[in-house]
Amino acid sequence: MCGIGGIVGLKWHRSQIESMANIQSHRGPDNQGLYIDPHHKVGLIHNRLKIIDLSETGNQPMSNPDNSKWIVFNGEIYNYLEIKSELSDYPYKSETDTEVILAAYEKWGDRCVEHFIGMFAFAIWDTKINTLFCARDRLGIKPFYYTKYDNCFIFSSEIKGILATGYPAEPDRQTWSEYLIDGYYDHNNKTFFEGIKSLDPGKTLKLSGDKISETRYWNLFLNKSETLHNISDKDATEQLSHLIKDSVKLRLRSDVPLGINLSGGIDSASLAATMSLLVANNSKINAFTASYNESKYDELKFADQTILDSQIVQHTSRLNPKEVPEMTNECMWYQEGPYGGISTLSYYKLHKLAKTKNVTVLLEGQGVDELFAGYKYFYPSYLADLMRDHKWKELNLEFNSQRKNLGSILSQMKIITQGGKTNTYQDGTNHLKIDCISSNIRKTHTESKSFDSPYNDHLTNALYRDLFHTKLPRVLRFNDRLSMAHSRELREPFLDHRLVEFAFNLPANKKIREGIQKFIIRENMKNLLPGSILNAEKRPVVTPQREWIKSSIKPFIMDIIHSQSFEQREFFDVKQVRKTFKEFCDGNSDNSFFIWQWVNTEIWFRTFIDNDLKQT
């Protein structure tokens, strides 16, 4: 896990890429490397966080034996040992996965990415053909940003790396309006900065001369398997078990200490149980839990149920509301865009704790909800599919399991079957207050195009939307930044592309059955987890954000929405904002997403527009 960047062009200065490396030093404090080609056309930088092969031979930029190819790489190729064995004739000089990428590129060219299991963003300068070849992993776990400026192509792991070269920071107003009015962010290749793009997951980018071309090397929809259509529960469970174990096993490869982010849910509990099976009996697993002093939101009481043996050593980080104002500013510097409020801040602090415990690599259970229909808002889509396919027996069983909430579910089904949009926030609540947005923004706002719906059923399209547009992309950005801010590597075993393909090929009744969501995950873990975890419903709200906004951090919010700068942004109807905030504090509102929109917007502008890259 590292930071990468570079400039390709004829008019740039060494100081520009040095500034890029310096501003990303938190991503890789163990070594800072620089390569400038003899013709001063290409400059590459690398900030190294040592994970595999801790010697100096693992430093980057790294070249092949004849120095004709130079690579900067961020991430992990988990199956690097298997590829290295296959390409054993390459004259390796290190034990790194970085060098395996070079060997694979020498052997397979652009198609080398098809052989990788991992999270990665890399760039290879090929001096023989004067081409920069770049790639990003299939799910977009690792970031890759780029732009063209002053006749140069500039890329970096973080947007501030591009800004450090002198690129002017300006807001992309379309992206901001989509965030404020539609609630979308990280849903396409645009960023909150005008002119700076993100390379799409599962794509490669090639720069040859002035021509930029992008190629999709992985398409989830095309990786369909008819063989799973009638798979039995037993066979599905066995295949899932094998995939999870192999994915976790590969992600235990490390030359530095590793641990796990442990909440009280079935996802991280499944990961912890699998890790316990795979690590040596005398090895300790450091588990980190983010929690709060309020008993209602105390994750530790749920996480404790997961600690089934003496291998797991528990560490707990508790966010205090007094920390929120300063941490909000600090976190924005790393996030570079709107983020998820108190939950993100608590995980930011969690990785700070991991650093103090000298645990460099952390595994996390992200992705299970998006793969196996864990959120409640997926359920009406499943029922709509049953109705469309005239599966009356199955539909009746589902109705019987949902008698208490049947009215709400039926109304959601009706909207779905008529092709309308339902509320897609993860806790199912109303999270937007459009009347607080200025009339100018609303008038100029262009409604976002409908997201891809490549499948022929509502449920799978909803899962696909979450995986590639509305949910996972933003969470992966949050996670990358909050971990790398403290130089920690975060690994996501459930986002192994083989597991993703398997999940999307499973029939729907393996994901939802008689009101039970993530059905096959629960079946797989029956012998490893207690019933209190297996049978627990997903908790929609796990932070005290609403309560804190109404009490302890209320002055912080008030200072923001009453500030002169907030009034002058021209993004909000300030009078309506203040009125709505008072109503929120006086009432029983069920969601505070829109309030954090106000905070995110103001803090982002103060950090990147007003302060000209000066960290607050």
Side-chain angles (χ1 to χ4, degrees):
M1 190 81 72
C2 305
I4 64 173
I7 303 179
V8 181
L10 296 177
K11 294 182 179 180
W12 55 271
H13 301 283
R14 180 189 181 99
S15 61
Q16 290 177 279
I17 56 173
E18 288 177 340
S19 295
M20 177 186 287
N22 291 336
I23 209 166
Q24 292 189 135
S25 60
H26 52 277
R27 295 189 70 92
D30 296 329
N31 186 72
Q32 185 169 297
L34 175 69
Y35 164 78
I36 298 177
D37 80 304
H39 305 289
H40 201 83
K41 183 179 181 181
V42 178
L44 302 176
I45 63 97
H46 186 262
N47 303 97
R48 187 185 182 198
L49 177 63
K50 295 181 180 179
I51 304 293
I52 302 293
D53 184 352
L54 308 185
S55 71
E56 291 185 2
T57 59
N59 290 343
Q60 300 178 44
M62 181 183 291
S63 69
N64 65 340
D66 65 1
N67 293 331
S68 64
K69 298 173 182 66
W70 289 84
I71 185 173
V72 284
F73 162 51
N74 169 32
E76 300 286 347
I77 305 300
Y78 298 117
N79 63 330
Y80 77 102
L81 292 178
E82 289 75 12
I83 297 175
K84 189 173 185 178
S85 177
E86 183 178 356
L87 303 178
S88 58
D89 57 341
Y90 186 87
Y92 298 98
K93 59 183 180 182
S94 75
E95 300 298 322
T96 66
D97 51 344
T98 307
E99 197 170 19
V100 171
I101 298 176
L102 283 170
Y105 181 75
E106 294 262 25
K107 176 71 174 180
W108 297 304
D110 297 1
R111 301 193 68 173
C112 64
V113 290
E114 299 173 12
H115 297 260
F116 301 151
I117 298 172
M119 55 177 184
F120 52 85
F122 64 81
I124 297 175
W125 174 247
D126 192 329
T127 64
K128 290 184 178 179
I129 56 176
N130 288 322
T131 296
L132 186 74
F133 175 72
C134 311
R136 192 178 181 201
D137 65 72
R138 296 169 180 84
L139 277 301
I141 300 172
K142 302 317 302 169
F144 188 99
Y145 296 102
Y146 69 95
T147 192
K148 291 203 76 173
Y149 177 64
D150 199 19
N151 295 316
C152 290
F153 177 84
I154 310 173
F155 71 92
S156 183
S157 291
E158 295 186 3
I159 292 173
K160 67 177 70 68
I162 294 175
L163 301 181
T165 68
Y167 185 89
E170 295 291 340
D172 186 294
R173 294 194 172 269
Q174 181 181 342
T175 300
W176 277 103
S177 70
E178 289 173 356
Y179 167 61
L180 294 172
I181 295 177
D182 300 323
Y184 299 144
Y185 47 136
D186 300 274
H187 60 290
N188 56 31
N189 69 348
K190 298 184 72 175
T191 70
F192 288 89
F193 294 81
E194 178 69 35
I196 298 178
K197 293 182 179 180
S198 173
L199 180 61
D200 283 333
K203 276 190 174 183
T204 60
L205 180 151
K206 185 176 287 187
L207 176 70
S208 183
D210 292 329
K211 183 181 178 182
I212 298 174
S213 59
E214 295 185 16
T215 302
R216 180 165 296 285
Y217 68 88
W218 184 71
N219 188 316
L220 177 60
F221 174 69
L222 296 180
N223 287 303
K224 291 186 290 187
S225 172
E226 297 297 329
T227 59
L228 298 181
H229 184 67
N230 294 312
I231 192 171
S232 67
D233 286 353
K234 180 177 181 294
D235 288 345
T237 302
E238 288 179 355
Q239 289 191 38
L240 177 62
S241 177
H242 170 74
L243 284 168
I244 291 176
K245 287 178 181 177
D246 190 59
S247 177
V248 174
K249 181 180 179 181
L250 287 179
R251 284 158 180 81
L252 293 178
R253 290 175 170 173
S254 173
D255 292 335
V256 294
L258 52 79
I260 180 175
N261 285 346
L262 184 65
S263 69
I266 189 173
D267 305 346
S268 65
S270 299
L271 178 56
T274 305
M275 287 178 68
S276 295
L277 290 175
L278 296 173
V279 300
N281 290 332
N282 60 348
S283 298
K284 298 293 183 181
I285 301 174
N286 287 284
F288 296 86
T289 300
S291 195
Y292 310 91
N293 290 325
E294 291 84 348
S295 60
K296 183 179 179 181
Y297 304 106
D298 188 359
E299 283 289 297
L300 188 60
K301 64 184 178 183
F302 299 104
D304 281 345
Q305 301 174 40
T306 309
I307 302 175
L308 306 179
D309 55 54
S310 58
Q311 280 184 278
I312 297 180
V313 180
Q314 180 69 52
H315 308 281
T316 306
S317 169
R318 294 185 183 275
L319 183 66
N320 188 304
K322 293 180 180 179
E323 300 172 288
V324 170
E326 181 178 353
M327 198 174 290
T328 298
N329 290 281
E330 187 177 329
C331 202
M332 180 59 76
W333 171 255
Y334 295 106
Q335 289 292 332
E336 303 177 333
Y339 58 88
I342 297 301
S343 60
T344 307
L345 296 181
S346 64
Y347 265 67
Y348 176 79
K349 186 176 181 181
L350 181 75
H351 288 84
K352 186 175 184 179
L353 174 63
K355 184 174 184 177
T356 65
K357 301 298 181 181
N358 296 315
V359 177
T360 309
V361 176
L362 294 158
L363 277 66
E364 186 168 272
Q366 188 65 52
V368 177
D369 289 311
E370 292 82 3
L371 299 182
F372 298 99
Y375 294 118
K376 287 187 178 296
Y377 59 74
F378 290 129
Y379 193 67
S381 294
Y382 174 58
L383 299 189
D385 290 331
L386 293 179
M387 180 175 288
R388 182 202 61 184
D389 296 338
H390 302 154
K391 294 183 177 181
W392 308 120
K393 180 180 178 181
E394 291 92 333
L395 190 62
N396 188 54
L397 289 172
E398 297 300 334
F399 283 164
N400 287 335
S401 72
Q402 298 292 324
R403 292 186 181 276
K404 289 183 180 180
N405 304 312
L406 194 54
S408 173
I409 292 171
L410 287 173
S411 65
Q412 294 289 303
M413 281 179 59
K414 184 178 180 180
I415 295 172
I416 292 169
T417 55
Q418 293 176 349
K421 294 182 180 180
T422 62
N423 189 307
T424 56
Y425 198 71
Q426 65 191 55
D427 63 2
T429 57
N430 183 14
H431 63 296
L432 298 171
K433 295 289 184 183
I434 308 303
D435 57 344
C436 291
I437 309 304
S438 71
S439 58
N440 287 338
I441 296 294
R442 283 185 281 170
K443 287 177 183 177
T444 58
H445 174 69
T446 302
E447 187 173 353
S448 301
K449 295 180 180 179
S450 298
F451 298 123
D452 298 341
S453 298
Y455 296 89
N456 61 8
D457 65 284
H458 296 297
L459 176 60
T460 312
N461 280 326
L463 294 169
Y464 186 88
R465 175 203 65 211
D466 264 24
L467 196 69
F468 291 105
H469 296 292
T470 58
K471 180 67 168 56
L472 193 66
R474 71 175 188 254
V475 171
L476 291 177
R477 192 234 316 159
F478 299 167
N479 288 353
D480 173 78
R481 302 306 192 282
L482 60 86
S483 59
M484 291 309 298
H486 303 294
S487 309
R488 302 302 94 183
E489 175 170 289
L490 194 61
R491 298 178 175 181
E492 319 272 8
F494 293 114
L495 292 179
D496 187 303
H497 75 276
R498 300 167 301 166
L499 213 163
V500 173
E501 291 172 3
F502 172 79
F504 269 73
N505 284 321
L506 277 178
N509 68 354
K510 297 294 186 289
K511 300 167 187 173
I512 302 176
R513 187 177 302 177
E514 295 186 43
I516 300 174
Q517 297 183 241
K518 296 191 282 195
F519 172 80
I520 198 67
I521 288 287
R522 300 178 197 275
E523 286 291 298
N524 181 59
M525 289 291 155
K526 271 186 175 180
N527 296 324
L528 295 177
L529 295 175
S532 59
I533 293 177
L534 281 173
N535 303 319
E537 290 190 13
K538 187 170 185 65
R539 301 188 303 283
V541 182
V542 294
T543 79
Q545 178 165 301
R546 294 175 302 181
E547 289 88 338
W548 286 5
I549 286 175
K550 294 180 180 182
S551 56
S552 51
I553 66 171
K554 182 178 178 180
F556 169 62
I557 307 294
M558 291 285 285
D559 285 346
I560 286 177
I561 64 176
H562 284 83
S563 66
Q564 184 178 4
S565 57
F566 185 81
E567 290 185 19
Q568 295 174 344
R569 299 294 178 203
E570 299 181 353
F571 276 83
F572 301 102
D573 181 331
V574 178
K575 289 184 179 179
Q576 186 62 37
V577 163
R578 293 169 183 171
K579 178 176 179 289
T580 301
F581 184 63
K582 184 178 186 305
E583 291 172 348
F584 176 88
C585 292
D586 294 342
N588 296 311
S589 300
D590 54 8
N591 197 300
S592 57
F593 177 90
F594 59 91
I595 294 175
W596 210 263
Q597 282 183 309
W598 309 337
V599 174
N600 271 324
T601 304
E602 179 60 20
I603 300 302
W604 184 89
F605 271 85
R606 291 181 185 180
T607 303
F608 294 102
I609 305 301
D610 301 347
N611 288 345
D612 191 24
L613 275 190
K614 293 178 182 177
Q615 185 175 352
T616 54

